[in-house]
């Protein structure tokens, strides 16, 4: 049994708000499954579970603000002898009789189908273990399948504890399957009164997005106003004993409040950085003629959606150079530098409502430019839609900021603690350039480095920028 705690989703996070539970007691979870939505001062993040087991108890209610490290739920280990049906909620008919979770009892042999006109001879019925379907005949099993009733949850009232037709007919209706939906779509559906089980999702893996909820609402307003009114007049559903009660997400503050909270978080972190970290800055201008030629050859014949842009090469060069100059790739902790074991690039992304996030591309130095481009597009889109996962917001060993699309020629950034460096790229512009004794016009980019003087000196930073330049002059090696 382990505790699922409030994770740290960034160096500037001391506490967070549990916005929504995506699982409930008794639900099986596997390592990497999204189990909750946590709201920080910057964004709502989908948080994964790092253990495999079964959700025991939920210790914190949605809408509660708790410090990092606070236990949120209990994850119970799955017993080695636990039946597969308890993990996957599979149909009871697929389970061999006698494999109950309660103390073992003598197994009951399966009942062979018999003609209705030839009843089985009267005999004393052996007791049937609760939580198994061994005491149900074929007709009862068929009825349970039609009604969607899990026989392992039905208490039999027949002789020897057998499940009868009346038991199935009086069994509580099965719970509706959980609908995959984004946290914002769930909040919007709650506000608009839209039943997510009736919405067709168009997101990844059929997930319901906010646009799908709005579409369903418009369709309901046009064709189902009477049904909506009848539904509103209907009394609320009261959960039966043993049925999990829904846990609605707490209300979210207006966008202005969230923007203010993000600005305060950014202000606190950047003030801490400039107060504690002795920055030094370097810059260099890099000729991108070779990189531009390589991109044109690579993109020739590709559809527009699959073409590489200069940003992919800039990120790849920054990652490979960090591997070659590891003194800039890591963290400053406990008055000492801790080198990173992998190159994880944090990518500064500006948000439409203001502020910024820095989602992380893990193992960036091992990705091809195509894979890095695809990962970058995916992270930027989901960061701006508020659909990042916790693992995608932590672990950065070096941050890159690129303001080239804003027309800025150079950017000198502020280091994101506990990292020890930040790389900046400006716009690709044409400038007079002398090469081989000849003067011409070439595409160039200004690369900058902000580094922590506690961890490195200017000579190390110069080696890093020299490595970036060398790699961009030979893009075929990236």
């Amino acid at each position: 049994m382990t505790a699922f705690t409030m994770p740290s989703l960034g160096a500037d996070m001391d506490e967070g708000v549990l916005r929504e539970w995506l699982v409930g007691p008794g639900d099986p979870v596997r390592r990497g499954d999204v189990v909750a939505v946590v709201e920080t001062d910057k964004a709502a993040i989908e948080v994964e579970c790092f253990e495999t087991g079964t959700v025991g108890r939920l210790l914190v209610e949605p809408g509660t603000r708790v410090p990092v490290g606070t236990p949120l739920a209990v994850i119970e280990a799955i017993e080695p002898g636990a039946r597969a049906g308890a993990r996957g909620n599979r149909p009871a008919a697929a389970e061999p009789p006698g494999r109950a979770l309660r103390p073992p009892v003598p197994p009951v042999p399966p009942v062979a189908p018999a003609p209705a006109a030839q009843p089985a001879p009267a005999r004393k019925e052996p007791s049937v273990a609760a939580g198994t379907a061994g005491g149900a005949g074929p007709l009862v099993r068929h009825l349970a399948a039609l009604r969607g009733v899990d026989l392992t949850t039905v208490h039999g009232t027949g002789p020897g504890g057998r499940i009868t037709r009346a038991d199935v007919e009086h069994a509580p209706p099965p719970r509706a399957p959980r609908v995959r939906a984004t946290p914002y779509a769930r909040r919007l559906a709650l506000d608009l009164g839209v039943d997510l089980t009736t919405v067709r999702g168009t997101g990844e893996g059929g997930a319901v997005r906010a646009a799908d909820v709005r579409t369903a609402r418009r369709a309901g307003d046009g064709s189902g106003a009477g049904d909506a009114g009848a539904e509103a007049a209907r009394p609320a559903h009261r959960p039966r004993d043993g049925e999990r009660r829904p846990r609605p997400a707490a209300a979210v503050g207006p966008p202005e409040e969230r923007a203010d909270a993000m600005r305060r978080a950014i202000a606190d972190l950047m003030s801490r950085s400039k107060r504690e970290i002795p920055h030094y800055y370097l810059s260099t201008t890099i000729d991108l003629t070779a990189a531009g030629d390589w991109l044109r050859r690579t993109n020739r014949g590709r559809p527009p959606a699959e073409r590489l842009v200069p940003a992919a090469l800039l990120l790849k060069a920054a990652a490979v150079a960090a591997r070659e100059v590891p003194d800039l790739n890591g963290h400053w902790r406990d008055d000492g530098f801790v080198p990173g074991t992998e190159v994880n690039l944090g990518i500064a992304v500006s948000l439409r409502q203001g502020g910024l996030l820095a989602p992380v591309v893990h193992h960036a130095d091992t990705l091809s430019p195509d894979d890095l481009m695809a990962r970058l597009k995916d992270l930027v889109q989901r960061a701006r839609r508020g659909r990042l996962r916790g693992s995608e917001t932590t672990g950065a060993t070096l941050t890159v900021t690129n303001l080239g699309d804003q027309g800025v020629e150079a950017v000198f950034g502020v280091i994101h603690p506990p990292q020890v460096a930040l790389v900046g790229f400006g716009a690709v512009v044409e400038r007079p350039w002398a090469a081989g004794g000849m003067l011409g016009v070439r595409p160039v980019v200004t690369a900058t480095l902000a580094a922590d003087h506690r961890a490195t000196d200017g000579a190390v930073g110069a080696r890093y920028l020299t490595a970036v330049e060398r790699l961009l002059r030979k893009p075929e090696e990236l």
Side-chain angles (χ1 to χ4, degrees):
M1 183 174 66
T2 58
F4 170 67
T5 61
M6 172 65 75
S8 175
L9 302 175
D12 55 337
M13 178 178 171
D14 297 320
E15 58 184 12
V17 178
L18 175 65
R19 184 56 58 196
E20 181 180 7
W21 279 115
L22 304 181
V23 295
D27 287 351
V29 292
R30 302 177 64 180
R31 181 182 177 89
D33 287 351
V34 176
V35 297
V37 177
V38 170
E39 184 175 351
T40 69
D41 289 333
K42 290 187 176 182
I45 308 294
E46 296 178 343
V47 180
E48 304 104 313
C49 178
F50 294 97
E51 299 290 341
T52 297
T54 303
V55 179
R57 290 177 295 147
L58 303 181
L59 306 177
V60 176
E61 291 290 332
T64 307
R65 181 180 292 272
V66 296
V68 170
T70 301
L72 302 179
V74 175
I75 306 297
E76 299 175 349
I78 298 179
E79 296 294 336
R83 58 188 182 88
R87 295 191 302 269
N89 197 25
R90 299 176 184 174
E95 293 290 337
R99 294 185 67 186
L101 293 179
R102 298 189 180 182
V105 297
V108 179
V111 181
Q118 188 178 355
R123 59 184 177 89
K124 183 179 180 180
E125 294 287 347
S127 61
V128 179
T132 68
L139 295 179
V140 173
R141 292 178 186 272
H142 179 67
L143 179 62
L146 292 178
R147 290 174 171 258
V149 174
D150 183 3
L151 289 177
T152 62
T153 64
V154 178
H155 176 70
T157 59
R162 287 187 177 276
I163 300 174
T164 66
R165 177 169 184 164
D167 297 331
V168 175
E169 291 175 345
H170 291 89
R175 286 185 304 186
R178 176 169 178 80
V179 178
R180 291 190 61 191
T182 66
Y184 179 61
R186 294 183 184 279
R187 294 195 294 267
L188 187 62
L190 187 64
D191 294 339
L192 299 180
V194 175
D195 183 2
L196 284 178
T197 61
T198 65
V199 180
R200 179 178 177 273
T202 60
E204 183 179 356
V208 176
R209 303 182 303 165
D212 304 326
V213 175
R214 292 191 179 97
T215 301
R217 173 60 185 268
R218 286 194 296 267
D221 288 343
S223 61
D227 294 340
E231 185 67 24
R234 201 172 295 152
H237 168 68
R238 296 182 177 274
R240 302 170 185 265
D241 292 340
E243 182 179 346
R244 191 175 71 213
R245 299 174 184 271
R247 296 177 175 269
V252 181
E256 295 79 8
E257 291 185 7
R258 298 196 61 185
D260 290 344
M262 176 175 288
R263 286 257 57 98
R264 287 195 300 271
I266 295 173
D268 291 342
L269 185 65
M270 295 297 97
S271 298
R272 169 190 163 194
S273 175
K274 295 297 287 185
R275 184 173 59 249
E276 299 179 358
I277 300 177
H279 288 58
Y280 70 87
Y281 298 95
L282 301 174
S283 70
T284 188
T285 303
I286 302 173
D287 179 10
L288 292 184
T289 300
D293 293 341
W294 184 85
L295 282 173
R296 279 189 291 273
R297 291 194 304 270
T298 302
N299 289 333
R300 188 177 296 124
R302 288 189 177 189
E306 298 179 9
R307 292 175 185 170
L308 292 175
V309 297
L313 290 184
L314 298 178
L315 290 177
K316 177 67 174 180
V320 175
R323 185 178 64 199
E324 295 181 2
V325 187
D327 291 341
L328 294 172
N329 183 66
H331 303 124
W332 184 266
R333 299 185 187 277
D334 300 325
D335 295 327
F337 175 68
V338 181
T341 58
E342 28 185 72
V343 178
N344 302 328
L345 287 188
I347 312 298
V349 177
S350 62
L351 304 180
R352 295 186 179 91
Q353 67 271 25
L356 58 84
L357 290 173
V360 183
V361 178
H362 293 270
H363 307 285
D365 58 318
T366 65
L367 299 176
S368 68
D370 285 288
D371 292 338
L372 195 54
M373 182 72 183
R375 192 74 58 86
L376 176 64
K377 291 171 61 177
D378 174 60
L379 284 176
V380 170
Q381 291 173 359
R382 290 194 290 113
R384 290 173 173 166
R385 294 201 304 262
R387 293 186 56 195
L388 290 177
R389 290 190 171 191
S391 59
E392 296 167 339
T393 63
T394 57
T397 55
L398 177 69
T399 295
V400 177
T401 180
N402 187 336
L403 290 178
D405 59 340
Q406 304 294 324
V408 175
E409 294 190 21
V411 52
F412 294 87
V414 180
I415 300 171
H416 191 296
Q419 299 167 37
V420 298
L422 182 141
V423 182
F425 292 105
V428 178
V429 296
E430 291 187 340
R431 290 288 182 267
W433 192 268
M438 301 293 292
L439 183 64
V441 177
R442 295 195 174 191
V444 299
V445 67
T446 299
T448 63
L449 175 71
D452 186 341
H453 227 318
R454 298 173 300 178
T456 62
D457 297 321
V460 175
R463 282 198 290 117
Y464 176 83
L465 289 180
T466 300
V468 172
E469 181 176 10
R470 173 177 51 81
L471 291 165
L472 289 173
R473 286 180 178 271
K474 297 182 179 181
E476 64 277 358
E477 297 180 3
L478 290 174

